[in-house]
């Protein structure tokens, strides 16, 4: 995850590095994703998520474009 001031800075980074442009989220969206993603991480019964469980989290947050598809 990389943090940028605005989308113009993302474009500058892509043009400078040649890296592919990924998904762009607001900090609020990242916070919402992290709360769902890590909510049970400290549980002694924690286990990794299945692809369908991860997909459900992305869908719940409206992250439905190709970048977020398994």
């Amino acid at each position: 995850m990389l943090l940028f001031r605005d989308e113009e800075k993302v474009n500058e980074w892509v043009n400078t590095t040649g890296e592919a442009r990924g998904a762009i989220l607001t900090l609020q969206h990242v916070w919402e994703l992290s709360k769902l993603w890590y909510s049970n991480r400290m549980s002694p019964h924690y286990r990794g998520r299945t692809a369908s469980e991860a997909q459900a989290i992305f869908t719940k947050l409206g992250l439905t474009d190709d970048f977020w598809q398994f």
Side-chain angles (χ1 to χ4, degrees):
M1 179 187 314
L2 300 172
L3 301 176
F4 295 93
R5 179 177 301 274
D6 55 38
E7 202 162 338
E8 181 180 328
K9 295 296 183 191
V10 173
N11 292 333
E12 288 176 17
W13 180 81
V14 167
N15 291 332
T16 301
T17 64
E19 294 289 332
R21 181 185 176 117
I24 297 177
L25 301 176
T26 64
L27 284 177
Q28 183 63 38
H29 232 144
V30 171
W31 178 243
E32 296 304 321
L33 175 58
S34 67
K35 288 191 298 186
L36 290 173
W37 196 261
Y38 295 108
S39 63
N40 65 344
R41 194 68 165 221
M42 297 302 291
S43 168
H45 306 293
Y46 173 78
R47 61 167 179 71
R49 284 181 185 74
T50 65
S52 62
E53 290 169 333
Q55 193 70 63
I57 289 174
F58 299 155
T59 301
K60 181 175 183 173
L61 293 172
L63 303 173
T64 58
D65 62 1
D66 289 344
F67 182 86
W68 300 100
Q69 302 303 310
F70 280 93

